[in-house]
Amino acid sequence: MDVTTAASDPWLIVGLGNPGPEYAMNRHNVGFMVVDLLAARIGGKFKRAGKAQAQVLEGRIGPAGPASRRVVLAKPTSYMNLSGGPVNALKDFYKVPVANVVAVHDELDIDYGVLRLKLGGGDNGHNGLKSMTKAMGADYHRVRFGIGRPPGRMQVADFVLKDFSSAERKELDYFVDRAADAVECLLAEGLERAQSAYNS
């Protein structure tokens, strides 16, 4: 179901991850990767967001003219389990309706590279979503990027904090590109259109 918001309302696109170069290629940081690609498409650079613990980039996504959407791309600089505070502060500062917040995040229960878009729902044990939901409720959009389950007896915490495997990295750029496309489609055409095009 699509939630109606004014066309002039900005969108807040949040990549979830952990700050610092040691986490940069972790599975848990795929949200950062997608938002970094969106920033490259806009052609801007992230800057520190005032008092909020985040890096932000303001711009527009979509075709020139009234069809384009005002967006704030954000990467919290808190750790994953504290994402809610920075995201809620940005939402309030930029006057973004909760339904116009999009969390881009890794998802264990989906096969690697598969996307699922949805509005609202539970956190499925994801600490970033758990923190966001506690801070502002659950009625925000999610772009869920499948990373699959850990092999054998590997602990989930170890798995998500490891870099993508060499085999996974061969397709990672393609999947990140597709996830960025899905975010753009969500903003331009709404959730149902984006789901039918990208939920695989």
Side-chain angles (χ1 to χ4, degrees):
M1 179 177 76
D2 279 348
V3 172
T4 303
T5 56
S8 59
D9 285 336
W11 287 76
L12 176 60
I13 315 300
V14 181
L16 292 180
N18 286 307
E22 67 270 35
Y23 298 105
M25 289 304 295
N26 286 182
R27 293 182 177 93
H28 224 16
N29 272 43
V30 74
F32 276 15
M33 297 174 199
V34 174
V35 171
D36 280 339
L37 179 57
L38 288 167
R41 291 180 180 183
I42 289 173
K45 290 188 175 180
F46 284 96
K47 64 180 182 181
R48 194 169 167 187
K51 295 179 180 177
Q53 284 184 288
Q55 291 185 312
V56 297
L57 169 62
E58 297 176 58
R60 300 191 82 88
I61 284 179
S68 72
R69 297 285 181 259
R70 279 199 306 139
V71 298
V72 179
L73 304 178
K75 297 189 293 182
T77 54
S78 62
Y79 284 95
M80 176 75 84
N81 60 346
L82 300 174
S83 300
V87 174
N88 197 45
L90 293 172
K91 173 185 72 70
D92 291 345
F93 180 79
Y94 288 103
K95 298 180 173 58
V96 179
V98 174
N100 279 21
V101 176
V102 182
V104 186
H105 64 92
D106 58 305
E107 179 62 63
L108 285 161
D109 286 335
I110 304 174
D111 289 341
Y112 174 60
V114 173
L115 295 177
R116 292 276 191 277
L117 285 78
K118 71 173 187 174
L119 174 64
D123 56 60
N124 204 23
H126 193 289
N127 288 330
L129 298 181
K130 196 176 294 184
S131 181
M132 284 182 61
T133 297
K134 185 177 179 182
M136 63 184 194
D139 297 329
Y140 53 91
H141 286 86
R142 298 103 189 273
V143 175
R144 305 156 73 205
F145 186 111
I147 61 170
R149 280 270 162 192
R153 296 185 179 184
M154 184 185 291
Q155 295 295 310
V156 165
D158 293 334
F159 179 70
V160 299
L161 293 176
K162 284 194 182 302
D163 289 358
F164 285 101
S165 69
S166 56
E168 289 169 334
R169 284 200 295 272
K170 290 175 182 174
E171 296 182 291
L172 182 60
D173 287 349
Y174 168 76
F175 289 139
V176 168
D177 193 70
R178 193 165 181 270
D181 290 347
V183 172
E184 292 182 347
C185 183
L186 170 64
L187 271 56
E189 301 185 51
L191 179 60
E192 289 183 13
R193 285 280 185 89
Q195 285 174 326
S196 63
Y198 291 96
N199 279 18
S200 45

XYZ file of all heavy atoms in Angstrom, residues 5-105:
746
model
N 2.002 11.270 0.421
C 2.636 12.439 1.010
C 2.695 13.500 -0.067
O 2.560 13.209 -1.251
C 4.057 12.116 1.514
O 4.818 11.576 0.435
C 4.034 11.112 2.647
N 2.875 14.755 0.326
C 2.909 15.833 -0.650
C 4.134 15.681 -1.548
O 5.209 15.283 -1.088
C 2.947 17.182 0.064
N 3.958 16.017 -2.831
C 5.060 15.886 -3.785
C 6.244 16.765 -3.388
O 7.384 16.483 -3.740
C 4.583 16.239 -5.187
N 5.957 17.843 -2.648
C 7.032 18.757 -2.250
C 7.794 18.271 -1.013
O 8.847 18.811 -0.685
C 6.453 20.147 -1.960
O 5.482 20.069 -0.928
N 7.258 17.260 -0.323
C 7.932 16.757 0.878
C 9.262 16.124 0.508
O 9.352 15.355 -0.450
C 7.073 15.703 1.588
C 5.904 16.305 2.345
O 5.978 17.489 2.717
O 4.912 15.582 2.576
N 10.317 16.406 1.277
C 11.599 15.762 0.993
C 11.596 14.299 1.421
O 10.744 13.869 2.204
C 12.593 16.568 1.839
C 11.779 17.081 2.977
C 10.392 17.312 2.433
N 12.548 13.557 0.891
C 12.775 12.168 1.274
C 14.112 12.069 1.995
O 15.059 12.787 1.651
C 12.799 11.264 0.041
C 11.459 11.039 -0.595
C 10.770 11.915 -1.377
C 10.656 9.864 -0.495
N 9.583 11.350 -1.778
C 9.486 10.086 -1.255
C 10.823 8.641 0.140
C 8.485 9.142 -1.385
C 9.822 7.681 0.021
C 8.665 7.933 -0.730
N 14.175 11.190 2.968
C 15.412 10.920 3.691
C 15.815 9.475 3.403
O 15.120 8.540 3.795
C 15.199 11.130 5.193
C 16.364 10.799 6.135
C 17.590 11.641 5.820
C 15.935 10.995 7.596
N 16.901 9.297 2.665
C 17.376 7.973 2.281
C 18.560 7.636 3.182
O 19.622 8.266 3.081
C 17.813 7.922 0.801
C 16.789 8.615 -0.112
C 18.070 6.480 0.376
C 15.414 8.034 -0.073
N 18.382 6.658 4.045
C 19.383 6.328 5.053
C 20.053 5.005 4.707
O 19.391 3.969 4.596
C 18.742 6.205 6.451
C 19.801 5.876 7.502
C 17.985 7.472 6.817
N 21.358 5.045 4.522
C 22.118 3.812 4.422
C 22.550 3.389 5.809
O 23.082 4.207 6.568
N 22.280 2.148 6.174
C 22.684 1.669 7.493
C 24.037 0.963 7.401
O 24.301 0.211 6.466
C 21.629 0.731 8.070
C 20.294 1.390 8.432
C 19.324 0.363 8.998
C 20.477 2.534 9.427
N 24.875 1.217 8.391
C 26.200 0.622 8.422
C 26.951 1.071 9.656
O 26.392 1.751 10.523
N 28.203 0.703 9.725
C 29.089 1.139 10.808
C 30.147 2.063 10.242
O 30.659 1.833 9.146
C 29.767 -0.072 11.470
C 28.809 -0.861 12.346
O 28.148 -0.310 13.233
N 28.722 -2.165 12.108
N 30.518 3.121 10.983
C 31.511 4.067 10.480
C 32.925 3.508 10.593
O 33.212 2.679 11.456
C 31.329 5.278 11.408
C 30.868 4.679 12.711
C 30.009 3.501 12.329
N 33.796 3.976 9.716
C 35.203 3.595 9.818
C 35.631 2.661 8.707
O 34.852 1.807 8.258
N 36.884 2.801 8.238
C 37.368 2.018 7.101
C 37.398 0.522 7.354
O 37.271 -0.272 6.421
C 38.783 2.571 6.867
C 39.162 3.271 8.132
C 37.889 3.764 8.724
N 37.531 0.106 8.616
C 37.607 -1.330 8.900
C 36.279 -2.041 8.634
O 36.235 -3.263 8.493
C 38.061 -1.576 10.352
C 37.080 -1.137 11.419
C 37.258 0.299 11.885
O 37.624 1.163 11.057
O 37.013 0.573 13.067
N 35.178 -1.267 8.565
C 33.858 -1.859 8.315
C 33.392 -1.668 6.872
O 32.342 -2.191 6.490
C 32.808 -1.218 9.240
C 33.056 -1.423 10.703
C 33.542 -0.384 11.499
C 32.813 -2.650 11.304
C 33.774 -0.564 12.860
C 33.041 -2.849 12.670
C 33.525 -1.797 13.431
O 33.746 -1.982 14.773
N 34.148 -0.940 6.084
C 33.652 -0.431 4.802
C 33.105 -1.503 3.864
O 32.098 -1.287 3.189
C 34.743 0.370 4.094
N 33.750 -2.676 3.813
C 33.312 -3.719 2.884
C 32.562 -4.856 3.579
O 32.310 -5.893 2.974
C 34.511 -4.284 2.125
C 35.107 -3.312 1.100
S 33.889 -2.731 -0.111
C 33.485 -4.252 -0.955
N 32.172 -4.633 4.843
C 31.382 -5.643 5.562
C 30.004 -5.821 4.929
O 29.442 -4.877 4.368
C 31.155 -5.222 7.016
C 32.365 -5.333 7.921
O 32.252 -5.044 9.101
N 33.510 -5.747 7.400
N 29.451 -7.009 5.082
C 28.073 -7.236 4.619
C 27.102 -6.264 5.301
O 26.140 -5.807 4.695
C 27.660 -8.680 4.913
C 28.430 -9.716 4.109
C 27.950 -11.130 4.408
N 28.654 -12.112 3.585
C 29.754 -12.753 3.972
N 30.277 -12.514 5.171
N 30.331 -13.621 3.176
N 27.352 -5.961 6.571
C 26.478 -5.075 7.346
C 26.477 -3.651 6.796
O 25.621 -2.847 7.167
C 26.963 -5.063 8.797
C 25.880 -5.169 9.823
N 24.584 -5.576 9.561
C 25.903 -4.923 11.170
C 23.873 -5.573 10.676
N 24.654 -5.175 11.663
N 27.440 -3.317 5.935
C 27.567 -1.953 5.441
C 27.051 -1.757 4.026
O 27.323 -0.734 3.404
C 29.039 -1.508 5.503
C 29.387 -0.889 6.844
O 28.992 -1.399 7.886
N 30.115 0.209 6.833
N 26.285 -2.712 3.529
C 25.823 -2.586 2.148
C 24.902 -1.377 1.981
O 24.836 -0.770 0.904
C 25.158 -3.897 1.662
C 23.777 -4.104 2.276
C 25.092 -3.949 0.145
N 24.209 -0.971 3.042
C 23.382 0.240 2.972
C 24.213 1.471 2.660
O 23.817 2.321 1.847
N 25.405 1.572 3.283
C 26.322 2.669 2.972
C 26.723 2.625 1.501
O 26.807 3.667 0.834
C 27.593 2.560 3.829
C 27.495 3.152 5.215
C 26.282 3.481 5.792
C 28.643 3.374 5.952
C 26.205 4.016 7.075
C 28.589 3.911 7.229
C 27.370 4.233 7.794
N 26.983 1.424 0.997
C 27.430 1.284 -0.395
C 26.381 1.806 -1.368
O 26.699 2.500 -2.345
C 27.745 -0.179 -0.711
C 28.875 -0.761 0.112
S 29.059 -2.564 -0.203
C 29.993 -3.060 1.251
N 25.117 1.485 -1.099
C 24.032 1.921 -1.986
C 23.881 3.442 -1.936
O 23.746 4.112 -2.970
C 22.715 1.219 -1.613
C 21.551 1.774 -2.437
C 22.837 -0.294 -1.819
N 23.925 4.007 -0.748
C 23.776 5.458 -0.600
C 24.982 6.193 -1.201
O 24.834 7.265 -1.791
C 23.533 5.822 0.881
C 23.585 7.318 1.109
C 22.169 5.300 1.326
N 26.174 5.607 -1.075
C 27.347 6.198 -1.724
C 27.168 6.255 -3.239
O 27.566 7.243 -3.887
C 28.608 5.389 -1.396
C 29.178 5.708 -0.018
O 28.888 6.787 0.532
O 29.926 4.856 0.509
N 26.585 5.213 -3.820
C 26.346 5.211 -5.265
C 25.308 6.266 -5.648
O 25.478 6.978 -6.650
C 25.898 3.827 -5.731
C 25.596 3.707 -7.235
C 26.791 4.118 -8.088
C 25.166 2.284 -7.587
N 24.258 6.406 -4.862
C 23.260 7.453 -5.129
C 23.905 8.834 -5.063
O 23.600 9.712 -5.872
C 22.104 7.350 -4.129
C 21.158 6.161 -4.327
C 20.264 5.982 -3.103
C 20.301 6.347 -5.587
N 24.822 9.017 -4.102
C 25.537 10.298 -3.992
C 26.375 10.550 -5.243
O 26.429 11.681 -5.756
C 26.417 10.291 -2.747
N 27.031 9.507 -5.748
C 27.832 9.651 -6.962
C 26.955 10.028 -8.150
O 27.348 10.834 -9.010
C 28.585 8.348 -7.249
N 25.750 9.471 -8.201
C 24.837 9.804 -9.295
C 24.378 11.254 -9.209
O 24.212 11.930 -10.237
C 23.618 8.866 -9.256
C 23.941 7.429 -9.613
C 22.683 6.569 -9.551
N 22.965 5.177 -9.887
C 22.025 4.237 -9.966
N 20.752 4.544 -9.738
N 22.352 2.989 -10.277
N 24.139 11.741 -7.987
C 23.737 13.133 -7.802
C 24.901 14.059 -8.120
O 24.733 15.161 -8.640
C 23.235 13.358 -6.349
C 21.882 12.679 -6.141
C 23.126 14.849 -6.029
C 21.401 12.720 -4.701
N 26.101 13.598 -7.778
C 27.295 14.389 -8.075
C 27.714 15.304 -6.943
O 28.263 16.376 -7.175
N 27.428 14.892 -5.709
C 27.812 15.721 -4.574
C 28.666 14.953 -3.590
O 28.965 13.775 -3.784
N 29.069 15.640 -2.525
C 29.872 15.012 -1.484
C 29.168 15.119 -0.144
O 28.503 16.118 0.143
C 31.249 15.673 -1.401
C 32.129 15.378 -2.597
C 33.543 15.882 -2.365
C 34.445 15.474 -3.534
N 35.831 15.950 -3.339
N 29.342 14.085 0.672
C 28.754 14.101 2.001
C 29.456 15.134 2.879
O 30.645 15.400 2.732
C 28.884 12.714 2.656
C 27.908 11.711 2.130
C 28.269 10.826 1.124
C 26.620 11.642 2.632
C 27.373 9.898 0.633
C 25.715 10.721 2.153
C 26.088 9.838 1.154
N 28.677 15.714 3.787
C 29.234 16.633 4.768
C 28.647 16.289 6.132
O 27.610 15.606 6.230
C 28.899 18.081 4.406
C 27.404 18.382 4.427
C 27.091 19.819 4.066
C 25.580 20.074 4.158
N 25.212 21.448 3.791
N 29.285 16.755 7.157
C 28.797 16.481 8.506
C 27.502 17.241 8.749
O 27.358 18.399 8.340
C 29.862 16.925 9.513
C 29.613 16.379 10.884
C 30.811 16.621 11.771
N 30.458 16.375 13.151
C 31.243 16.620 14.170
N 32.436 17.127 13.968
N 30.855 16.366 15.399
N 26.558 16.584 9.408
C 25.221 17.143 9.575
C 25.067 17.830 10.923
O 24.516 17.269 11.849
C 24.169 16.044 9.455
N 25.561 19.042 11.045
C 25.335 19.828 12.250
C 25.516 19.024 13.521
O 26.535 18.386 13.736
N 24.467 19.017 14.342
C 24.533 18.317 15.630
C 24.208 16.827 15.512
O 24.495 16.056 16.414
C 23.577 18.970 16.631
C 23.971 20.393 16.998
C 22.979 20.993 17.972
C 23.364 22.418 18.332
N 22.382 23.059 19.234
N 23.573 16.433 14.414
C 23.209 15.021 14.244
C 24.458 14.201 13.936
O 25.340 14.655 13.212
C 22.186 14.858 13.131
N 24.519 12.997 14.475
C 25.652 12.105 14.208
C 25.444 11.434 12.853
O 25.014 10.291 12.766
C 25.755 11.046 15.306
C 26.335 11.544 16.610
C 26.470 10.389 17.585
O 25.488 9.885 18.114
N 27.689 9.953 17.813
N 25.747 12.158 11.809
C 25.530 11.623 10.464
C 26.275 12.464 9.448
O 26.613 13.625 9.700
C 24.040 11.610 10.124
N 26.522 11.847 8.290
C 26.975 12.569 7.112
C 25.788 12.672 6.172
O 25.033 11.701 6.005
C 28.117 11.821 6.425
C 29.411 11.807 7.208
C 30.523 11.151 6.407
O 30.344 10.080 5.843
N 31.666 11.795 6.344
N 25.617 13.831 5.558
C 24.453 14.041 4.696
C 24.852 14.677 3.373
O 25.891 15.322 3.256
C 23.379 14.929 5.375
C 22.817 14.259 6.617
C 23.937 16.301 5.707
N 23.986 14.479 2.400
C 24.110 15.126 1.099
C 22.701 15.462 0.637
O 21.836 14.585 0.560
C 24.788 14.190 0.089
C 24.752 14.617 -1.382
C 25.475 15.940 -1.595
C 25.346 13.543 -2.276
N 22.459 16.737 0.346
C 21.159 17.163 -0.164
C 21.227 17.262 -1.683
O 22.245 17.668 -2.248
C 20.789 18.532 0.422
C 20.637 18.531 1.933
C 20.378 19.920 2.479
O 19.371 20.536 2.046
O 21.174 20.401 3.310
N 20.135 16.884 -2.325
C 20.099 16.960 -3.778
C 18.723 16.598 -4.301
O 17.736 16.630 -3.561
N 18.686 16.256 -5.576
C 17.422 15.850 -6.201
C 17.655 14.547 -6.957
O 18.725 14.330 -7.535
C 16.888 16.930 -7.145
C 16.614 18.270 -6.462
C 15.836 19.213 -7.353
N 14.417 18.941 -7.332
C 13.537 19.472 -6.456
N 13.960 20.302 -5.527
N 12.264 19.169 -6.515
N 16.631 13.703 -6.944
C 16.671 12.439 -7.676
C 15.511 12.427 -8.656
O 14.390 12.813 -8.310
C 16.580 11.237 -6.721
C 17.928 11.020 -6.015
C 16.153 9.959 -7.446
C 17.940 9.873 -5.023
N 15.793 11.969 -9.867
C 14.742 11.865 -10.876
C 14.944 12.882 -11.987
O 15.889 13.676 -11.965
N 14.057 12.873 -12.977
C 14.189 13.775 -14.122
C 14.042 15.228 -13.693
O 13.403 15.530 -12.685
C 13.035 13.345 -15.038
C 12.049 12.683 -14.131
C 12.854 12.021 -13.060
N 14.647 16.128 -14.444
C 14.550 17.554 -14.132
C 13.097 18.007 -14.179
O 12.284 17.464 -14.926
C 15.390 18.361 -15.125
N 12.781 18.994 -13.363
C 11.431 19.522 -13.359
C 10.625 19.027 -12.171
O 11.178 18.512 -11.200
N 9.297 19.147 -12.256
C 8.448 18.821 -11.103
C 8.462 17.347 -10.711
O 8.074 17.003 -9.595
C 7.039 19.232 -11.574
C 7.123 19.284 -13.076
C 8.526 19.657 -13.389
N 8.915 16.462 -11.607
C 8.924 15.025 -11.285
C 10.104 14.646 -10.383
O 10.126 13.558 -9.816
C 8.969 14.196 -12.562
N 11.096 15.542 -10.260
C 12.240 15.198 -9.411
C 11.854 15.315 -7.946
O 10.914 16.017 -7.581
C 13.441 16.089 -9.734
O 13.229 17.400 -9.263
N 12.577 14.598 -7.102
C 12.283 14.568 -5.668
C 13.451 15.158 -4.893
O 14.607 14.826 -5.143
C 12.044 13.116 -5.202
C 10.845 12.449 -5.857
C 9.538 12.973 -5.271
N 8.390 12.317 -5.867
C 7.635 12.850 -6.828
N 7.943 14.047 -7.317
N 6.586 12.207 -7.301
N 13.125 16.009 -3.932
C 14.149 16.513 -3.022
C 14.556 15.393 -2.079
O 13.700 14.738 -1.476
C 13.604 17.669 -2.182
C 13.606 19.003 -2.873
C 13.504 20.152 -1.869
N 12.358 20.027 -0.977
C 12.385 20.302 0.323
N 13.511 20.652 0.918
N 11.293 20.216 1.051
N 15.850 15.149 -1.960
C 16.306 14.070 -1.097
C 17.439 14.530 -0.194
O 18.207 15.442 -0.529
C 16.796 12.830 -1.896
C 15.681 12.231 -2.724
C 17.995 13.160 -2.758
N 17.507 13.883 0.951
C 18.662 13.974 1.824
C 19.200 12.554 1.949
O 18.497 11.655 2.419
C 18.291 14.522 3.216
C 19.531 14.579 4.109
C 17.633 15.891 3.107
N 20.406 12.327 1.457
C 21.071 11.043 1.642
C 21.815 11.104 2.969
O 22.443 12.124 3.281
C 22.056 10.765 0.506
C 21.503 10.790 -0.919
C 22.626 10.546 -1.917
C 20.396 9.766 -1.099
N 21.765 10.035 3.742
C 22.387 10.069 5.062
C 23.080 8.767 5.408
O 22.603 7.679 5.066
C 21.331 10.378 6.133
N 24.225 8.912 6.094
C 24.940 7.779 6.668
C 25.209 8.116 8.137
O 26.030 8.998 8.421
C 26.264 7.536 5.933
C 26.102 7.166 4.469
C 27.412 6.729 3.831
C 28.411 7.845 3.732
N 29.672 7.424 3.053
N 24.491 7.467 9.060
C 24.757 7.734 10.477
C 26.214 7.420 10.817
O 26.783 6.444 10.335
C 23.799 6.782 11.205
C 22.701 6.519 10.218
C 23.376 6.526 8.873
N 26.811 8.269 11.654
C 28.185 8.028 12.097
C 28.224 7.433 13.501
O 29.300 7.241 14.063
C 29.021 9.322 12.050
O 28.354 10.345 12.797
C 29.201 9.788 10.611
N 27.040 7.169 14.043
C 26.958 6.345 15.250
C 27.163 4.898 14.798
O 27.194 4.616 13.607
C 25.576 6.478 15.891
O 24.596 6.000 14.976
N 27.271 3.987 15.716
C 27.308 2.586 15.306
C 25.896 2.122 14.976
O 24.891 2.756 15.320
C 27.985 1.727 16.375
C 29.487 1.910 16.342
C 30.118 2.822 17.174
C 30.265 1.210 15.408
C 31.492 3.019 17.098
C 31.632 1.404 15.325
C 32.240 2.313 16.177
O 33.595 2.515 16.081
N 25.820 0.997 14.275
C 24.562 0.486 13.740
C 23.441 0.466 14.783
O 22.327 0.915 14.527
C 24.797 -0.934 13.189
C 23.567 -1.632 12.684
S 23.023 -1.008 11.092
C 24.066 -1.942 9.977
N 23.744 -0.030 15.990
C 22.688 -0.208 16.987
C 22.219 1.109 17.597
O 21.303 1.117 18.422
C 23.144 -1.177 18.088
C 24.365 -0.707 18.834
O 25.053 0.203 18.392
N 24.640 -1.318 19.966
N 22.815 2.232 17.185
C 22.395 3.546 17.676
C 21.896 4.437 16.531
O 21.818 5.656 16.680
C 23.563 4.242 18.392
C 24.125 3.506 19.617
C 25.369 4.223 20.125
C 23.078 3.415 20.724
N 21.530 3.830 15.408
C 21.144 4.600 14.213
C 19.903 5.456 14.422
O 19.748 6.498 13.781
C 20.890 3.656 13.029
O 22.032 2.896 12.714
N 19.011 5.029 15.285
C 17.719 5.707 15.427
C 17.815 7.167 15.820
O 17.086 8.013 15.291
N 18.703 7.489 16.751
C 18.832 8.873 17.206
C 19.214 9.817 16.082
O 18.516 10.823 15.841
N 20.303 9.540 15.358
C 20.674 10.411 14.241
C 19.597 10.492 13.155
O 19.330 11.575 12.625
C 21.946 9.760 13.691
C 22.520 9.004 14.830
C 21.344 8.533 15.631
N 18.979 9.362 12.824
C 17.958 9.369 11.764
C 16.761 10.209 12.190
O 16.237 11.027 11.419
C 17.516 7.937 11.412
C 16.354 7.968 10.414
C 18.678 7.149 10.826
N 16.319 10.055 13.431
C 15.168 10.818 13.916
C 15.484 12.313 13.947
O 14.635 13.148 13.607
C 14.765 10.317 15.298
C 13.370 10.755 15.684
O 12.438 10.673 14.891
N 13.225 11.243 16.905
N 16.720 12.658 14.331
C 17.119 14.065 14.354
C 17.098 14.661 12.951
O 16.630 15.792 12.743
C 18.514 14.207 14.967
N 17.581 13.902 11.966
C 17.553 14.376 10.585
C 16.129 14.494 10.067
O 15.781 15.460 9.370
C 18.356 13.431 9.687
C 19.869 13.384 9.927
C 20.494 12.267 9.093
C 20.529 14.716 9.604
N 15.299 13.520 10.390
C 13.890 13.559 9.977
C 13.220 14.843 10.468
O 12.516 15.523 9.718
C 13.156 12.330 10.527
C 11.645 12.339 10.298
C 10.959 11.166 10.977
C 10.911 11.280 12.483
N 9.974 12.357 12.950
N 13.461 15.175 11.735
C 12.845 16.377 12.307
C 13.445 17.649 11.706
O 12.722 18.595 11.379
C 13.020 16.389 13.828
C 12.204 15.300 14.517
O 11.301 14.721 13.868
O 12.467 15.033 15.712
N 14.764 17.668 11.540
C 15.435 18.864 11.037
C 14.983 19.197 9.616
O 14.729 20.366 9.289
C 16.954 18.676 11.079
C 17.717 19.870 10.582
C 17.906 20.980 11.381
C 18.240 19.881 9.287
C 18.602 22.097 10.913
C 18.940 20.990 8.808
C 19.119 22.099 9.631
N 14.887 18.176 8.763
C 14.520 18.398 7.366
C 13.003 18.313 7.128
O 12.556 18.427 5.990
C 15.240 17.398 6.466
C 16.720 17.667 6.334
C 17.654 16.899 7.030
C 17.203 18.692 5.515
C 19.030 17.142 6.909
C 18.563 18.949 5.388
C 19.469 18.169 6.095
O 20.818 18.417 5.978
N 12.249 18.098 8.213
C 10.777 18.022 8.134
C 10.325 16.951 7.129
O 9.525 17.199 6.228
C 10.182 19.392 7.786
C 10.472 20.454 8.846
C 9.883 21.796 8.470
C 10.012 22.804 9.604
N 11.390 23.037 10.048
N 10.856 15.758 7.326
C 10.542 14.617 6.466
C 9.462 13.770 7.126
O 9.625 13.347 8.275
C 11.804 13.753 6.231
C 11.475 12.540 5.365
C 12.921 14.573 5.606
N 8.338 13.507 6.446
C 7.345 12.584 7.012
C 7.961 11.194 7.196
O 8.827 10.790 6.409
C 6.241 12.537 5.936
C 6.492 13.708 5.040
C 7.948 13.998 5.104
N 7.513 10.473 8.222
C 8.073 9.134 8.475
C 7.945 8.249 7.239
O 8.859 7.471 6.922
C 7.386 8.469 9.690
C 7.866 7.031 9.865
C 7.667 9.260 10.959
N 6.847 8.362 6.521
C 6.633 7.537 5.323
C 7.610 7.877 4.201
O 7.735 7.120 3.236
C 5.202 7.672 4.823
N 8.316 9.010 4.306
C 9.310 9.384 3.306
C 10.731 9.064 3.755
O 11.690 9.502 3.133
C 9.217 10.880 2.984
C 8.114 11.199 1.989
O 7.189 10.420 1.814
N 8.201 12.343 1.345
N 10.855 8.316 4.834
C 12.157 7.823 5.263
C 12.358 6.437 4.652
O 11.465 5.588 4.705
C 12.252 7.742 6.801
C 13.590 7.136 7.227
C 12.073 9.126 7.421
N 13.517 6.219 4.051
C 13.836 4.923 3.438
C 15.129 4.407 4.070
O 16.161 5.077 4.003
C 14.043 5.049 1.915
C 14.328 3.673 1.297
C 12.839 5.701 1.249
N 15.047 3.238 4.692
C 16.240 2.589 5.241
C 16.738 1.554 4.242
O 15.981 0.674 3.825
C 15.917 1.917 6.573
N 17.996 1.661 3.851
C 18.618 0.677 2.961
C 19.534 -0.172 3.833
O 20.452 0.353 4.467
C 19.420 1.351 1.833
C 19.929 0.303 0.853
C 18.575 2.405 1.109
N 19.280 -1.481 3.869
C 19.993 -2.309 4.850
C 20.177 -3.740 4.374
O 19.491 -4.215 3.458
C 19.235 -2.303 6.189
C 17.874 -2.929 6.116
N 17.655 -4.267 6.387
C 16.660 -2.411 5.795
C 16.366 -4.527 6.253
N 15.744 -3.429 5.882
